[in-house]
Amino acid sequence: DLTIGSGQADGVILELSNTDSVSNGLQIQLSTNGKDVYFWNHENAAITFATNNVGRMTIDASGNTCLGTITAPMQDFGEGRTTLALKGTGAADYSTIQMGNYGTTNNSQALGVVSFYDGSNENARVMGSRDISTNSGILTFWTSPGSAGLTKAMTIDRAGRLLVGTD
């Protein structure tokens, strides 16, 4: 069945369901502010996004996300954990994460950051940044010794030297 509703308390909803549907099937919702969009799979099942007739991303019923394939098994790290799996397919069989700043370019500019949190506290960070030119970069690691916040633990400089406990 196809249902399109407007003027509802939750905004505009497009709903796709069948007679076997346990709940409301798939809903695409435009919120009442007219800006936020939601995809709701009300069933205990995955959602797959595809391009060019190939599955590119799957979010399983637990919220784990697999990019690059829909058939590769996702690692189960146990209850309460969410997994982002990047799976390479084809001859190269690897995946990449690319982070960059494509706006202004300055020396010592952060290009990409991976932060690790325990609730609302940042406990560790890894950052790639530009050093003295567009072709030179450094990799910096921070850790948290306690309530004092993050402290720079080490840096790999543009020459490949490991600097520990120093700038």
Side-chain angles (χ1 to χ4, degrees):
D1 297 330
L2 172 63
T3 306
I4 301 174
S6 64
Q8 300 178 14
D10 294 332
V12 178
I13 297 175
L14 170 67
E15 182 176 301
L16 301 169
S17 61
N18 61 41
T19 56
D20 297 334
S21 180
V22 175
S23 55
N24 292 336
L26 171 69
Q27 290 182 336
I28 302 172
Q29 174 184 355
L30 178 62
S31 69
T32 55
N33 69 14
K35 297 177 183 177
D36 299 324
V37 175
Y38 301 91
F39 290 86
W40 298 96
N41 182 359
H42 291 281
E43 308 303 322
N44 186 17
I47 294 178
T48 299
F49 296 87
T51 61
N52 198 25
N53 204 32
V54 176
R56 306 294 185 182
M57 178 176 82
T58 298
I59 304 170
D60 72 12
S62 299
N64 297 316
T65 304
C66 187
L67 299 174
T69 182
I70 60 169
T71 58
M74 288 186 248
Q75 178 69 40
D76 181 5
F77 290 104
E79 184 178 334
R81 292 176 175 85
T82 301
T83 303
L84 171 61
L86 302 174
K87 305 284 184 169
T89 59
D93 198 30
Y94 67 90
S95 297
T96 64
I97 297 175
Q98 296 181 3
M99 292 186 254
N101 182 332
Y102 295 96
T104 59
T105 54
N106 298 311
N107 294 337
S108 303
Q109 179 178 12
L111 301 174
V113 177
V114 177
S115 296
F116 302 89
Y117 287 85
D118 177 13
S120 61
N121 300 312
E122 186 178 20
N123 294 4
R125 179 189 308 157
V126 179
M127 180 177 74
S129 57
R130 177 180 163 168
D131 192 13
I132 60 171
S133 70
T134 57
N135 296 343
S136 65
I138 60 175
L139 194 58
T140 308
F141 299 80
W142 286 267
T143 58
S144 178
S147 62
L150 293 177
T151 301
K152 188 184 293 186
M154 66 180 182
T155 300
I156 301 173
D157 72 8
R158 67 181 176 276
R161 295 177 296 221
L162 178 62
L163 309 170
V164 179
T166 181
D167 290 331

